[in-house]
Amino acid sequence: MAQNTQAQTEKKQKNSIIDSLYIQETENKYQRAKVLHAEPLYIDLIRDLGARKGEREWNVGLGLTDKNKYDEYIALVEYEWAPIDRLGFEVELPFSFYPSAHNATTPDSKLNGLKLATQYSFFVSEKLKTSMAVGYIHEFGLNSFNNYSNEKLFTGNTYNPFFIVAKRWGNNFHTLLYTGPAIEHHSETNATHTSWQINSNFHYMIPGTKNFIGIECNKEIQTKDFDMTIRPQMRVAVAENLLIGIVTGIPVNRENERFSSFLRLIYEPKH
């Protein structure tokens, strides 16, 4: 019994040391201040909070959503980088595919748009283990593949400013809030539609690893309408610079969709 207790104590001490080393690796005292935060996997950040010059990241995402009357397959490719400390940029190409089109309500497959985004961390406190950032996403909406030759290529714009605040509690517990309006402008009708996004996150980083488990709550508020999808998720490191994120989507109200799944492959080149 004493040997088991001693072994468990030594394991906890070892994990604590590894956690501290991982945090120290991120919060390097010889570089500008940066706090280690767990990043949500479905609606991810443009770049790490407190990003440092030279950081880069490639993401490839694949997902499936049951839309009640049809299935939607999504894919995305994105590249993000930090040209200077605390400032990040991102380019993303999001796709939607509907291979089982059985009725008139099924949309056409398309490249949804071209997304360009930026994010700046204006507050980073290692003492408080807290970071804050503001950012902006601009999406140029595109027509479906079938209409490229018959209609205008671009269908409108989406303007999405946002605010982020994140805090780490101790070494392993992480919370983050991501919120802002999304304003859609349709070129053909000149109409606009505004919705508010409030995304709250809670994650627990497994001691001694870069892996985490957590939950992401994506909330959207429109005129007389509220939708929320709960997304349990986990991230697993398969190599030093390669991680895989696995997400399940559970809508609170199933009027528009049922369950969904999403997989994100994350690669961070050395810099």
Side-chain angles (χ1 to χ4, degrees):
M1 180 66 72
Q3 290 180 344
N4 290 338
T5 302
Q6 182 179 358
Q8 291 177 357
T9 302
E10 290 177 353
K11 184 177 180 181
K12 289 181 179 179
Q13 291 175 344
K14 182 180 178 181
N15 285 341
S16 179
I17 292 172
I18 294 174
D19 288 340
S20 298
L21 291 174
Y22 179 34
I23 292 171
Q24 287 177 15
E25 180 183 345
T26 300
E27 301 174 5
N28 190 325
K29 299 301 180 184
Y30 297 101
Q31 299 185 61
R32 196 166 184 183
K34 180 178 179 180
V35 180
L36 174 67
H37 296 291
E39 181 178 345
L41 294 172
Y42 189 76
I43 298 182
D44 71 325
L45 309 184
I46 307 306
R47 190 60 220 128
D48 285 354
L49 295 171
R52 291 179 178 140
K53 180 180 178 179
E55 292 182 350
R56 297 173 293 155
E57 182 176 297
W58 283 95
N59 279 245
V60 176
L62 298 170
L64 169 62
T65 303
D66 182 349
K67 290 283 190 176
N68 292 331
K69 296 182 180 180
Y70 55 85
D71 291 333
E72 178 185 55
Y73 296 82
I74 62 173
L76 64 85
V77 178
E78 63 181 44
Y79 177 66
E80 54 189 59
W81 74 100
I84 61 174
D85 287 346
R86 300 194 178 182
L87 179 66
F89 290 100
E90 179 184 278
V91 178
E92 179 183 335
L93 297 176
F95 297 84
S96 294
F97 300 98
Y98 307 91
S100 55
H102 297 303
N103 55 63
T105 62
T106 305
D108 293 326
S109 298
K110 65 177 181 176
L111 168 60
N112 297 320
L114 170 63
K115 280 188 174 183
L116 304 176
T118 185
Q119 174 185 297
Y120 179 71
S121 300
F122 65 89
F123 179 83
V124 179
S125 172
E126 293 180 343
K127 181 180 179 180
L128 299 176
K129 300 178 183 178
T130 300
S131 302
M132 298 183 189
V134 291
Y136 176 72
I137 301 173
H138 191 105
E139 182 174 2
F140 299 92
L142 292 171
N143 228 317
S144 60
F145 296 135
N146 294 335
N147 293 327
Y148 276 4
S149 59
N150 302 324
E151 300 180 16
K152 291 182 179 180
L153 179 62
F154 293 98
T155 59
N157 298 275
T158 300
Y159 316 99
N160 180 203
F162 59 84
F163 168 76
I164 301 169
V165 58
K167 180 174 177 61
R168 190 180 76 240
W169 307 84
N171 287 347
N172 304 104
F173 293 95
H174 301 254
T175 54
L176 184 146
L177 177 68
Y178 177 118
T179 184
I183 305 167
E184 298 179 20
H185 176 253
H186 302 277
S187 298
E188 185 176 353
T189 62
N190 203 34
T192 59
H193 174 75
T194 302
S195 61
W196 279 87
Q197 300 176 350
I198 305 173
N199 304 312
S200 49
N201 307 268
F202 177 83
H203 292 87
Y204 174 76
M205 193 163 287
I206 308 301
T209 73
K210 294 182 180 180
N211 309 335
F212 64 58
I213 57 174
I215 191 166
E216 181 178 346
C217 297
N218 304 136
K219 298 172 282 294
E220 184 175 86
I221 301 173
Q222 304 180 48
T223 304
K224 298 181 181 180
D225 191 26
F226 173 81
D227 292 306
M228 180 170 76
T229 301
I230 300 171
R231 302 188 193 275
Q233 54 194 249
M234 65 181 295
R235 188 183 73 180
V236 179
V238 296
E240 183 179 357
N241 298 319
L242 185 65
L243 303 103
I244 294 178
I246 303 170
V247 184
T248 300
I250 306 169
V252 173
N253 189 336
R254 301 184 184 181
E255 60 180 352
N256 298 318
E257 62 180 60
R258 290 193 281 265
F259 292 101
S260 62
S261 59
F262 183 73
L263 178 71
R264 184 183 291 273
L265 184 66
I266 306 164
Y267 173 63
E268 293 184 318
K270 292 183 178 180
H271 66 281

